[in-house]
């Protein structure tokens, strides 16, 4: 990575030689639209079109019409004006310069960034106002909104009033906020790894700093109201033992920025403000450390709330994280329907819209189709499972529901793979499955004849022609059998069990296209976590062990 960045620094310095005395300029709407089209086209070219997809990757123009691009540029310009109107914080050329330097310094994909700069003609004004400015404006407005009492004061006053009325920790459950409990454990070996009943409090590992903080809190006392970007909250230590601390929380969720912006964006003018500044890109030192500008703070909108049991897909240009249970409040009462997109090129997070998103859940599945992420199923809390889902388009930041007509029965801890034109759902303590066609929004059942027995914690891979299921836990035993589903003829067939991997669940597996093999690693066998692996060869229908010398 260091060599790659050094190479980028040399090329950038050689290509972007500009005159510091050149006349400052402001891009017109049409020029910004052209920059947006150029950047998004490069992102589209790098988006993964799964090799399983039978049709060629469609051209950018077919997927992204100019009408959508224009709406995006309009949205960006309104955000820039909102910053000045609401917070008296007009974006300056110095800030944009700092943002360019931040992106260059922190990028994880220097070659792709160079590709974007070159596509923009190595023009510092296009790079500044057509590429860096929208990223900066979006991050700034989200930060200002998240902490501005003008938009959250009624919620804050309500939360303060309800917390002040609490005279004992038992009354924490009687507020209008979300109540949840968690047991923090000092040592990972003390965590109860057995399956818990739906009403039991889950246990999570606590780092030393948090453990020390909780130890110093008096038991039975409800804290003052606290705040972060997403919520107001209060906590109380309910119980302390030697190595475990039970904590209760009350959460008052703020109105998400996306909802507020959708309701108010039309009130801000569509006017491009002149920013007189001469951007200096040629003399940047990409290996410099520390702040990019003296005496300057650069606020960042944070990553999604820390969580567990979520899903993540890689699109080729960003990682999309969605759903799950917030890890510090890991209780069925506090599942989330939020998410975030991480762009390694600009080292930035952007929240995923909640508008029309699926309901909060964990233990669901997600697949990437080439232009959409499909989320389906999962645990929605209170011991309830769902057969609902949604299709998320990362470019338009919009959701569309998946049909429930003919959908599989509600389930969690199931499997889902993408075949190229269908998502196949199977399992989750159920031996049934379905194929989902996102083009027609329809479901089709798959055969249960010779299908695997019900299980969870198994793995599923797509080997380019079949769905492969292996291992898992059936409620009493850990398994080491496997099956292949052949969608061409709607049949199941078993994998060889000769010298198969030892029984396990909650392991991982990948398919190697080059060698036509499945590689299994790790897992849990009912008594211990495993640090071994096996290879299954589809050509010979045989198993072989993997060395665990120096393994994780």
């Amino acid at each position: 990575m260091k060599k790659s960045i050094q190479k980028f620094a040399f090329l950038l310095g050689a290509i972007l030689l500009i005159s510091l005395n050149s006349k400052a300029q402001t891009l017109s709407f049409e020029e910004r639209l052209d920059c947006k089209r150029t950047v998004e086209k490069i992102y589209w070219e790098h988006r993964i079109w799964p090799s399983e997809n039978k049709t060629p990757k469609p051209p950018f123009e077919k997927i992204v019409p100019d009408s959508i691009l224009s709406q995006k540029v309009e949205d960006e310009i309104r955000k820039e004006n909102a910053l000045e109107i609401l917070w008296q914080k007009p974006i300056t050329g110095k800030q944009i310069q700092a943002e360019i330097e931040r992106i260059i310094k922190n990028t994880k994909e220097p070659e792709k960034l160079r590709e974007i700069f070159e596509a923009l003609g190595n023009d510092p004004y296009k790079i500044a106002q057509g590429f860096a400015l929208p990223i900066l404006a979006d991050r700034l407005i989200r930060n200002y909104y998240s902490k501005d009492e003008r938009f959250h004061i009624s919620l804050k006053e309500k939360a303060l009033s309800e917390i002040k009325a609490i005279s004992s920790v038992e009354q924490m459950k009687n507020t209008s906020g979300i109540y949840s409990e968690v047991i923090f454990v000092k040592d990972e070996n003390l965590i109860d790894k057995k399956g818990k009943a739906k009403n039991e409090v889950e246990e999570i590992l606590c780092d030393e700093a948090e453990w020390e903080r909780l130890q110093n809190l008096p038991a039975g006392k409800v804290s003052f109201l606290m705040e972060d970007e997403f919520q107001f909250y209060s906590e109380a230590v309910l119980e302390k033992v030697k190595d475990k601390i039970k904590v209760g929380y009350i959460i008052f969720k703020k109105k998400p920025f996306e909802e507020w912006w959708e309701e108010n964006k039309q009130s801000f003018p569509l006017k491009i403000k002149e920013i007189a500044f001469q951007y200096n890109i040629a003399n940047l030192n990409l290996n410099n450390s520390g702040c990019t500008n003296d005496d300057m703070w650069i606020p960042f909108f944070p990553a999604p709330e820390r969580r567990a049991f979520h899903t993540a897909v890689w699109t080729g240009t960003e990682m999309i994280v969605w759903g799950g249970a917030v890890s510090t409040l890991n209780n069925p009462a506090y599942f989330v329907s939020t998410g975030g997109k991480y762009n390694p090129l600009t080292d930035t997070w952007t929240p995923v819209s909640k508008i029309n998103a699926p309901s909060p859940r964990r233990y669901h599945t997600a697949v990437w189709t080439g232009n959409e992420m499909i989320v389906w199923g999962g645990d929605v809390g209170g011991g309830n499972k769902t057969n609902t889902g949604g299709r998320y388009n990362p470019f338009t930041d919009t959701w569309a529901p998946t049909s429930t007509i003919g959908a599989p029965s509600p389930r969690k801890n199931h499997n889902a793979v993408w075949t190229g034109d269908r998502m196949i759902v199977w399992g989750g303590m159920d031996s049934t499955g379905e194929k989902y066609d996102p083009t027609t929004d329809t479901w089709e059942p798959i055969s249960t004849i010779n299908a695997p027995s019900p299980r969870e914690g198994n793995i599923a891979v797509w080997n380019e022609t079949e769905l492969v299921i292996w291992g898992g836990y059936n409620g009493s035993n850990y398994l080491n059998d496997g099956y292949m589903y052949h969608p061409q003829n709607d049949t199941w067939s078993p994998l060889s069990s000769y010298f198969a991997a030892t029984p396990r669940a909650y392991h991982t597996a990948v398919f190697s296209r080059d060698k036509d093999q499945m590689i299994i690693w790790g897992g849990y066998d009912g008594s211990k976590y495993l640090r071994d692996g096996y290879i299954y060869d589809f050509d010979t229908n045989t198993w072989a062990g993997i060395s665990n010398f120096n393994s994780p």
Side-chain angles (χ1 to χ4, degrees):
M1 176 59 76
K2 185 176 180 181
K3 288 183 178 179
S4 180
I5 291 176
Q6 289 173 337
K7 177 182 177 183
F8 182 37
F10 174 78
L11 290 170
L12 194 62
I15 293 172
L16 300 180
L17 292 174
I18 63 173
S19 170
L20 298 182
N21 295 319
S22 61
K23 184 179 178 181
Q25 65 184 61
T26 298
L27 300 185
S28 66
F29 183 91
E30 290 71 23
E31 288 172 321
R32 287 188 59 164
L33 176 60
D34 185 61
C35 290
K36 173 64 67 176
R37 186 185 301 110
T38 298
V39 172
E40 293 295 345
K41 187 172 184 179
I42 290 174
Y43 282 146
W44 172 251
E45 289 169 353
H46 286 277
R47 280 240 165 91
I48 293 172
W49 190 250
S51 60
E52 295 84 1
N53 290 5
K54 299 177 176 62
T55 57
K57 186 176 183 177
F60 172 75
E61 292 73 17
K62 183 177 180 180
I63 296 296
V64 184
D66 262 12
S67 59
I68 298 295
L69 291 170
S70 294
Q71 290 174 17
K72 279 183 167 285
V73 175
E74 289 181 10
D75 197 68
E76 292 164 358
I77 295 171
R78 293 186 195 278
K79 286 178 180 176
E80 294 159 24
N81 284 294
L83 286 167
E84 182 171 3
I85 293 170
L86 289 177
W87 293 280
Q88 293 75 54
K89 297 285 187 180
I91 293 178
T92 66
K94 185 180 180 182
Q95 285 178 294
I96 301 173
Q97 176 72 33
E99 179 70 4
I100 296 171
E101 295 178 26
R102 183 200 67 80
I103 292 172
I104 291 175
K105 180 183 175 184
N106 295 342
T107 184
K108 311 301 185 293
E109 298 179 308
E111 294 299 326
K112 192 187 296 183
L113 183 60
R114 180 165 61 89
E115 184 181 349
I116 287 176
F117 283 11
E118 290 177 348
L120 293 174
N122 300 313
D123 184 322
Y125 294 100
K126 289 183 178 180
I127 291 168
Q129 298 172 22
F131 175 62
L133 174 56
I135 296 170
L136 176 63
D138 183 71
R139 189 171 68 247
L140 287 173
I141 195 171
R142 291 177 186 277
N143 273 278
Y144 290 138
Y145 169 80
S146 69
K147 293 294 182 71
D148 194 322
E149 282 202 351
R150 289 177 294 176
F151 308 112
H152 312 297
I153 187 63
S154 59
L155 176 65
K156 182 178 181 179
E157 290 176 345
K158 179 181 180 181
L160 280 169
S161 174
E162 293 190 21
I163 289 175
K164 286 180 180 178
I166 295 174
S167 58
S168 66
V169 292
E170 288 76 17
Q171 294 179 350
M172 292 176 71
K173 299 178 182 179
N174 300 328
T175 72
S176 62
I178 302 169
Y179 177 77
S180 60
E181 296 177 358
V182 61
I183 295 175
F184 290 97
V185 181
K186 187 176 183 181
D187 186 341
E188 185 176 12
N189 294 321
L190 298 174
I191 294 178
D192 183 3
K193 299 182 176 68
K194 297 179 181 179
K196 288 184 172 291
K198 67 180 182 181
N199 293 323
E200 290 187 23
V201 180
E202 296 193 51
E203 301 177 354
I204 62 173
L205 182 64
C206 183
D207 62 44
E208 290 186 12
E210 182 69 359
W211 180 265
E212 187 69 22
R213 186 186 74 83
L214 293 173
Q215 279 282 36
N216 291 329
L217 293 178
K221 182 178 179 180
V222 180
S223 75
F224 56 87
L225 189 67
M226 296 176 281
E227 177 185 7
D228 61 27
E229 291 83 359
F230 306 102
Q231 61 219 346
F232 296 100
Y233 64 98
S234 181
E235 66 183 0
V237 173
L238 306 179
E239 183 181 350
K240 290 183 183 180
V241 294
K242 182 179 180 182
D243 296 302
K244 296 185 179 184
I245 301 176
K246 187 176 183 180
V247 182
Y249 293 91
I250 313 169
I251 306 295
F252 300 87
K253 299 294 292 181
K254 293 178 180 177
K255 188 172 192 175
F257 170 80
E258 291 77 17
E259 292 182 22
W260 173 82
W261 182 247
E262 197 62 31
E263 295 169 0
N264 294 278
K265 64 182 180 181
Q266 296 298 329
S267 62
F268 302 106
L270 188 60
K271 178 183 178 182
I272 296 177
K273 302 216 28 121
E274 289 190 12
I275 303 175
F277 194 83
Q278 293 172 340
Y279 303 100
N280 176 13
I281 303 176
N283 297 325
L284 295 182
N285 181 359
L286 302 190
N287 298 312
N288 194 22
S289 60
C291 296
T292 55
N293 272 307
D294 293 336
D295 193 26
M296 189 171 195
W297 289 94
I298 302 178
F300 282 83
F301 195 80
E305 300 161 283
R306 52 182 177 173
R307 61 192 61 196
F309 317 121
H310 52 283
T311 52
V313 300
W314 173 244
T315 73
T317 60
E318 68 254 300
M319 173 180 69
I320 308 176
V321 171
W322 190 83
V326 174
S327 61
T328 55
L329 310 171
N330 199 7
N331 182 278
Y334 196 44
F335 296 167
V336 293
S337 59
T338 60
K341 294 177 287 188
Y342 175 71
N343 185 337
L345 186 145
T346 57
D347 189 31
T348 53
W349 283 93
T350 305
V352 168
S353 173
K354 284 188 64 178
I355 299 173
N356 297 322
S359 57
R361 64 192 65 197
R362 65 176 180 175
Y363 300 137
H364 52 287
T365 52
V367 299
W368 174 247
T369 71
N371 56 10
E372 290 181 322
M373 173 181 73
I374 305 178
V375 168
W376 191 85
D379 175 6
V380 292
N384 298 312
K385 295 170 283 189
T386 184
N387 67 346
T388 61
R391 307 195 315 269
Y392 177 71
N393 183 322
F395 177 75
T396 59
D397 192 31
T398 56
W399 287 93
T402 58
S403 173
T404 56
I405 299 174
S409 57
R411 62 191 68 192
K412 66 177 183 177
N413 283 328
H414 52 284
N415 307 117
V417 299
W418 177 248
T419 71
D421 58 5
R422 302 286 192 280
M423 175 180 69
I424 301 180
V425 169
W426 186 86
M429 294 304 290
D430 196 311
S431 60
T432 63
E434 304 268 347
K435 291 180 282 190
Y436 176 72
D437 184 346
T439 304
T440 60
D441 191 28
T442 56
W443 292 90
E444 177 186 356
I446 65 177
S447 173
T448 58
I449 299 174
N450 297 323
S453 58
R455 64 192 68 194
E456 65 180 15
N458 56 286
I459 56 88
V461 300
W462 176 253
N463 70 358
E464 297 191 323
T465 54
E466 292 100 7
L467 164 67
V468 184
I469 300 293
W470 191 86
Y473 179 67
N474 65 7
S476 57
N477 297 308
Y478 288 81
L479 310 171
N480 71 336
D481 60 349
Y483 296 80
M484 288 192 296
Y485 172 70
H486 313 269
Q488 300 92 337
N489 50 23
D490 193 31
T491 59
W492 289 91
S493 62
L495 297 182
S496 171
S497 59
Y498 190 62
F499 285 121
T502 56
R504 66 192 67 200
Y506 313 112
H507 45 294
T508 58
V510 294
F511 173 66
S512 168
R513 290 184 174 86
D514 294 340
K515 296 189 176 182
D516 198 26
Q517 294 174 335
M518 175 177 66
I519 305 171
I520 289 173
W521 178 259
Y524 184 65
D525 68 359
S527 62
K528 62 183 180 299
Y529 290 102
L530 305 172
R531 55 169 296 190
D532 61 358
Y534 292 79
I535 297 174
Y536 180 79
D537 191 303
F538 291 98
D539 290 334
T540 61
N541 196 25
T542 58
W543 289 90
I546 297 174
S547 170
N548 64 0
F549 181 70
N550 287 334
S551 67

